[in-house]
């Protein structure tokens, strides 16, 4: 009788251990590289949600557009969040890379800023516009100028791959200075250099500017330049990556983005790859 009693206790104990083991979710660590604003801030917003789902999200911030893809390609990162698809395509082409888009999250409308003029149409003949050396953004700049009626583009020009050589007519003989670092553009603007300065929204917001209010011209929300989560091709269907994308594209996160950045950063859900 005593042996049966001990056996029953042992069985119950083993069952409890099994149930405990089943109830404990295995945690996966996901390291994502990101620009500090707004990318890292948005990732921090979804950290608690992912924690509940067994994903320990680690965020590594970068202040440039060079290192994040290098570290992702080398395996030092599981994903990165700082770029749009034309930039990613251009990087892959130049570096024989195979990084892919795992999902779109938001648009950072690129804008024209000026200490001297209130709108693009006020720019004088021969005005100098300061543009960064980020070639992947040139089409965005040209699209804004085209929509403002200041330039026309050569027939067949694709905005995603356009550059300043694709300008067919230049109504005000605008001049473009394009050898500048993206992160320095806000400094040029604050010093009043050039007649207008083109600034990416992440750097504008980081410098205390509100793209919606402070720019003299802003990219449309329908732009194809959505910021995305990039991963190595082999990891696109990784369960932890899928949880990250789901959290970033959730209705609550998208609403938070629109409210938190007041139009300076715009949610682009549903994802259009």
């Amino acid at each position: 009788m005593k042996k049966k009693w001990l056996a029953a206790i042992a069985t119950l104990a083993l069952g409890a251990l099994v149930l405990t083991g089943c109830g404990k979710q295995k945690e996966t660590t996901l390291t994502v590289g990101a620009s500090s604003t707004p990318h890292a801030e948005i990732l921090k917003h979804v950290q608690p949600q992912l924690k509940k789902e067994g994903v320990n999200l680690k965020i590594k911030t970068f202040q440039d557009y060079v290192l994040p893809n290098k570290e992702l390609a080398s395996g030092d990162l599981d994903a990165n969040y700082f770029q749009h698809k034309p930039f990613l395509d251009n990087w892959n082409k130049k570096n024989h890379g195979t990084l892919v888009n795992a999902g779109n999250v938001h648009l950072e409308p690129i804008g024209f800023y000026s200490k001297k003029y209130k709108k693009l149409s006020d720019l004088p003949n021969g005005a100098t516009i300061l543009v960064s050396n980020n070639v992947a953004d040139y089409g965005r700049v040209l699209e804004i100028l085209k929509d403002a009626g200041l330039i026309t583009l050569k027939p067949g020009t694709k905005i995603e791959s356009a550059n300043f050589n694709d300008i067919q007519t230049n109504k005000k003989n605008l001049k473009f200075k394009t050898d500048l670092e993206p992160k320095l553009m806000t400094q040029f603007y604050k010093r009043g250099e050039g007649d207008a300065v083109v600034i990416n929204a992440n750097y504008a917001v980081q410098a205390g500017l509100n793209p919606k209010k402070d720019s003299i011209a802003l990219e449309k929300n329908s732009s194809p330049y959505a910021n995305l989560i990039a991963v190595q091709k082999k990891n696109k269907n990784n369960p932890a990556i899928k949880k990250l994308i789901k959290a970033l594209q959730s209705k609550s996160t998208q609403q938070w983005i629109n409210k938190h950045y007041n139009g300076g950063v715009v949610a682009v859900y549903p994802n259009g790859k």
Side-chain angles (χ1 to χ4, degrees):
M1 185 70 180
K2 186 176 180 181
K3 288 183 178 179
K4 287 183 179 181
W5 177 249
L6 290 173
I9 292 174
T11 301
L12 287 171
L14 180 61
L17 285 171
V18 170
L19 288 173
T20 301
C22 290
K24 188 176 180 180
Q25 192 173 25
K26 185 178 179 181
E27 189 174 79
T28 301
T29 296
L30 201 63
T31 303
V32 181
S35 296
S36 57
T37 306
H39 308 79
E41 296 169 348
I42 296 171
L43 289 173
K44 286 177 184 176
H45 176 74
V46 300
Q47 262 181 329
Q49 178 183 340
L50 290 170
K51 189 75 173 177
K52 292 177 182 178
E53 297 177 15
V55 178
N56 176 29
L57 178 61
K58 289 189 175 182
I59 305 164
K60 183 175 180 179
T61 57
F62 294 85
Q63 298 301 324
D64 63 60
Y65 295 159
V66 178
L67 292 176
N69 278 340
K70 285 185 177 181
E71 294 203 13
L72 177 58
S74 68
D76 292 333
L77 298 173
D78 297 304
N80 69 36
Y81 178 31
F82 78 100
Q83 66 195 316
H84 48 61
K85 192 171 185 299
F87 185 98
L88 177 62
D89 290 344
N90 188 54
W91 188 90
N92 278 333
K93 185 177 179 180
K94 284 188 173 182
N95 296 277
H96 306 289
T98 56
L99 303 181
V100 298
N101 175 10
N104 293 339
V105 183
H106 75 267
L107 172 70
E108 296 174 20
I110 200 167
F112 284 68
Y113 297 76
S114 177
K115 292 284 188 181
K116 304 170 184 175
Y117 305 102
K118 298 294 184 183
K119 51 188 178 181
L120 283 180
S121 59
D122 291 339
L123 292 176
N125 188 59
T128 297
I129 298 175
L130 306 187
V131 185
S132 83
N133 58 13
N134 184 13
V135 177
D137 280 338
Y138 291 172
R140 309 171 76 181
V141 177
L142 294 171
E143 181 82 348
I144 294 172
L145 292 171
K146 181 174 73 70
D147 289 345
L150 297 185
I151 65 167
T152 61
L153 299 175
K154 295 173 183 177
T157 299
K158 294 182 179 179
I159 287 298
E160 290 85 352
S161 58
N163 60 54
F164 296 99
N165 292 326
D166 292 311
I167 295 175
Q168 185 172 48
T169 62
N170 187 346
K171 185 178 179 181
K172 291 196 173 187
N173 191 32
L174 300 174
K175 295 178 174 59
F176 304 94
K177 185 173 174 57
T178 61
D179 58 346
L180 308 167
E181 285 291 325
K183 63 184 178 183
L184 299 178
M185 303 309 289
T186 55
Q187 295 179 32
F188 298 134
Y189 162 70
K190 289 180 177 180
R191 292 201 296 260
E193 297 187 28
D195 293 295
V197 182
V198 179
I199 307 175
N200 290 85
N202 61 316
Y203 289 122
V205 171
Q206 197 171 333
L209 297 171
N210 183 320
K212 199 171 181 180
K213 294 179 180 179
D214 297 323
S215 67
I216 64 171
L218 197 62
E219 184 176 20
K220 293 178 180 177
N221 289 356
S222 57
S223 166
Y225 288 81
N227 279 224
L228 54 88
I229 296 293
V231 297
Q232 289 189 25
K233 192 173 183 179
K234 64 181 181 180
N235 290 327
K236 188 172 183 178
N237 293 316
N238 181 301
I241 295 293
K242 284 187 171 294
K243 288 180 181 179
L244 172 64
I245 298 299
K246 185 177 179 180
L248 290 170
Q249 292 182 341
S250 69
K251 187 176 180 180
S252 62
T253 300
Q254 297 289 304
Q255 289 175 338
W256 180 86
I257 289 172
N258 289 333
K259 183 177 180 180
H260 188 75
Y261 295 103
N262 194 29
V265 179
V266 183
V268 296
Y269 182 83
N271 179 36
K273 296 177 187 175

Coordinates of all heavy atoms in Angstrom, one line a residue, residues 12-24:
L12 N 2.2 12.4 -9.7 CA 1.6 13.7 -9.6 C 2.7 14.8 -9.7 O 2.6 15.8 -10.4 CB 0.9 13.9 -8.3 CG -0.4 13.2 -8.1 CD1 -1.0 13.2 -6.7 CD2 -1.5 13.8 -9.1
A13 N 3.9 14.5 -9.1 CA 5.0 15.5 -9.1 C 5.5 15.6 -10.5 O 5.8 16.7 -11.0 CB 6.1 15.0 -8.2
L14 N 5.7 14.4 -11.2 CA 6.1 14.4 -12.6 C 5.2 15.2 -13.5 O 5.6 16.0 -14.4 CB 6.3 13.0 -13.1 CG 6.8 12.8 -14.5 CD1 8.2 13.5 -14.7 CD2 6.9 11.4 -14.9
G15 N 3.9 15.0 -13.3 CA 2.9 15.7 -14.0 C 3.0 17.2 -13.9 O 2.8 18.0 -14.8
A16 N 3.2 17.6 -12.6 CA 3.3 19.0 -12.3 C 4.5 19.7 -13.0 O 4.5 20.8 -13.6 CB 3.4 19.3 -10.8
L17 N 5.6 18.9 -13.1 CA 6.8 19.4 -13.7 C 6.6 19.5 -15.2 O 7.0 20.5 -15.9 CB 8.0 18.4 -13.5 CG 8.6 18.5 -12.1 CD1 9.6 17.3 -11.9 CD2 9.4 19.8 -11.9
V18 N 5.9 18.6 -15.8 CA 5.6 18.6 -17.2 C 4.7 19.8 -17.6 O 5.0 20.6 -18.5 CB 4.9 17.3 -17.7 CG1 4.4 17.5 -19.1 CG2 5.9 16.1 -17.6
L19 N 3.7 20.0 -16.7 CA 2.8 21.2 -17.0 C 3.5 22.5 -16.8 O 3.3 23.4 -17.6 CB 1.6 21.1 -16.0 CG 0.6 20.0 -16.2 CD1 -0.4 20.0 -15.1 CD2 -0.1 20.3 -17.6
T20 N 4.4 22.6 -15.8 CA 5.2 23.8 -15.6 C 6.1 24.1 -16.8 O 6.2 25.2 -17.3 CB 6.1 23.7 -14.4 OG1 5.3 23.4 -13.2 CG2 6.9 24.9 -14.1
G21 N 6.7 23.0 -17.3 CA 7.6 23.1 -18.5 C 6.8 23.6 -19.7 O 7.3 24.4 -20.5
C22 N 5.6 23.0 -19.9 CA 4.8 23.4 -21.0 C 4.3 24.9 -21.0 O 4.2 25.5 -22.0 CB 3.6 22.5 -21.1 SG 4.0 20.8 -21.6
G23 N 4.1 25.3 -19.7 CA 3.6 26.7 -19.6 C 4.6 27.8 -19.7 O 4.3 28.9 -20.0
K24 N 5.9 27.4 -19.6 CA 7.0 28.4 -19.7 C 7.4 28.6 -21.1 O 7.8 27.6 -21.8 CB 8.2 27.9 -18.9 CG 9.2 29.0 -18.7 CD 10.4 28.5 -17.8 CE 11.4 29.6 -17.7 NZ 12.5 29.2 -16.8

